[in-house]
Amino acid sequence: MLVNMKQLLEVAKENKFAVGAFNVADSNFLRVVVEEAEKNNAPAIIAVHPTELDFTKDDFFEYVLARIKNSPVPFVLHLDHGDNMGDVMRAVRCGFSSVMIDGSLLPFEENIRVTKEVVDVCHKLGVSVEGELGTIGKTGNSIEGGVSEIIYTKPEEAEEYISRTGVDTLGVAIGTAHGIYPKDKEPKLRLDILQEIKDLVTIPLVLHGGSANPDAEIAAAVEIGIQKVNISSDYKYAFYKKCREILSTTELWDANAIYPECIDAAKAVVKYKMELFHSVNQVEKYQQSNTPVWRSDLI
């Protein structure tokens, strides 16, 4: 079933687990996320970056919506790192139940202004909104970009930002980066900052750049109060690593001969992340809470 992010993460927050947001750029990755979520009775977020939306084209999401609306598992269809109202409204027209407006590179007051504009429009349509404070690092191998020097989220600014914008969820910067870390770089999360933010705010918190971080730190972040963890590079890497192995040792050219093992390799990563986030077998929590289905046909 399709729900918005507020509906999905309120249950996660109450029951102290996190939900994986997996970036999807074609039907293979959609299969990976949806089928593994259904197999493990785990809620999931289908995240789509604006560049992925450009690649897949708007019509693709008619198929996406038909697939997830008919599932017993709660899903969110979410725009990841939209940076302008045009991105946001394109996603809304495509039936997305959640959007992110990323004003993290803007001055604080401008970030608030841009975010509130999106909130004012989207909340009228029942679409939830994620904002971001602070900056996510970059490793050089992700479409999502990032910055060379991370600016950590200031807890007191997070409280003010939420109060003045009305966002439903907040992406916080505590030391992660988009992509796969080089072998000579080991990330270290500022869990102390996360704890300070958690002590001041009540909305669900989001961890961007969740790939390739130490499991123990991710688990600790979830324990403190992260409800959404963004994963893209880890499971895409597994998919294409297997794809490269097959193509380098065979002369296959049919998709149905090449991709099944790639899909299985990516599914193994998704399942591992779901277990790490404690989202496996949590679907019944949504049934118990009578979470309403989000209706995109009202837009």
Side-chain angles (χ1 to χ4, degrees):
M1 63 179 175
L2 179 65
V3 299
N4 68 26
M5 194 74 75
K6 183 177 181 180
Q7 294 167 329
L8 191 82
L9 296 189
E10 281 181 345
V11 174
K13 188 173 187 293
E14 182 180 347
N15 292 279
K16 302 185 184 306
F17 65 90
V19 182
F22 302 95
N23 279 76
V24 166
D26 67 14
S27 59
N28 285 316
F29 291 113
L30 180 69
R31 279 191 59 188
V32 169
V33 178
V34 173
E35 291 178 6
E36 202 59 26
E38 290 176 339
K39 180 180 178 182
N40 291 283
N41 291 310
I45 299 158
I46 297 166
V48 184
H49 190 273
T51 58
E52 293 170 324
L53 180 52
D54 283 341
F55 175 73
T56 54
K57 307 304 181 187
D58 296 10
D59 290 349
F60 173 67
F61 295 96
E62 293 182 16
Y63 161 63
V64 174
L65 288 167
R67 179 66 180 85
I68 60 180
K69 282 182 177 180
N70 290 316
S71 174
V73 168
F75 289 97
V76 168
L77 181 56
H78 174 70
L79 177 70
D80 186 31
H81 288 287
D83 61 8
N84 57 69
M85 187 65 83
D87 284 345
V88 167
M89 294 315 298
R90 181 181 182 183
V92 168
R93 287 193 297 271
C94 287
F96 283 50
S97 59
S98 175
V99 298
M100 176 189 183
I101 179 67
D102 183 358
S104 61
L105 297 180
L106 300 173
F108 183 64
E109 289 294 331
E110 183 68 4
N111 189 357
I112 287 176
R113 184 189 67 78
V114 169
T115 303
K116 190 175 187 308
E117 283 182 358
V118 171
V119 169
D120 288 346
V121 172
C122 288
H123 278 186
K124 290 182 176 69
L125 303 171
V127 175
S128 52
V129 179
E130 175 185 329
E132 183 169 280
L133 267 183
T135 58
I136 307 301
K138 63 179 179 180
T139 58
N141 49 25
S142 169
I143 61 168
E144 296 170 293
V147 296
S148 299
E149 186 174 347
I150 294 170
I151 299 173
Y152 294 97
T153 302
K154 297 177 181 177
E156 66 279 6
E157 286 189 350
E159 186 178 29
E160 180 181 354
Y161 176 86
I162 293 166
S163 174
R164 292 175 60 187
T165 62
V167 289
D168 302 292
T169 59
L170 178 66
V172 295
I174 58 172
T176 56
H178 289 134
I180 302 292
Y181 295 94
K183 292 181 179 179
D184 62 347
K185 182 178 180 181
E186 183 175 342
K188 183 171 179 58
L189 305 191
R190 288 290 305 276
L191 297 176
D192 57 323
I193 293 177
L194 175 60
Q195 184 65 64
E196 288 183 48
I197 296 169
K198 180 65 173 59
D199 290 343
L200 289 174
V201 308
T202 59
I203 67 171
L205 300 176
V206 177
L207 186 65
H208 285 261
S211 291
N213 289 279
D215 288 351
E217 291 193 347
I218 296 294
V222 172
E223 179 68 23
I224 291 170
I226 288 291
Q227 276 80 50
K228 171 176 174 269
V229 183
N230 286 24
I231 300 292
S232 180
S233 300
D234 272 351
Y235 92 115
K236 289 176 180 174
Y237 179 86
F239 182 98
Y240 283 111
K241 180 179 180 181
K242 178 56 68 174
C243 190
R244 290 185 184 98
E245 290 175 6
I246 293 169
L247 293 176
S248 67
T249 57
T250 72
E251 294 293 331
L252 294 173
W253 56 79
D254 285 316
N256 57 315
I258 298 169
Y259 290 142
E261 288 186 60
C262 306
I263 288 171
D264 287 344
K267 281 182 175 180
V269 175
V270 168
K271 180 180 181 180
Y272 185 85
K273 299 296 183 180
M274 288 174 169
E275 291 173 341
L276 180 63
F277 307 153
H278 303 297
S279 60
V280 172
N281 292 323
Q282 297 285 7
V283 168
E284 66 177 25
K285 300 292 196 311
Y286 294 87
Q287 297 165 344
Q288 293 167 358
S289 68
N290 295 315
T291 302
V293 175
W294 187 81
R295 294 182 61 190
S296 59
D297 59 306
L298 297 179
I299 294 176

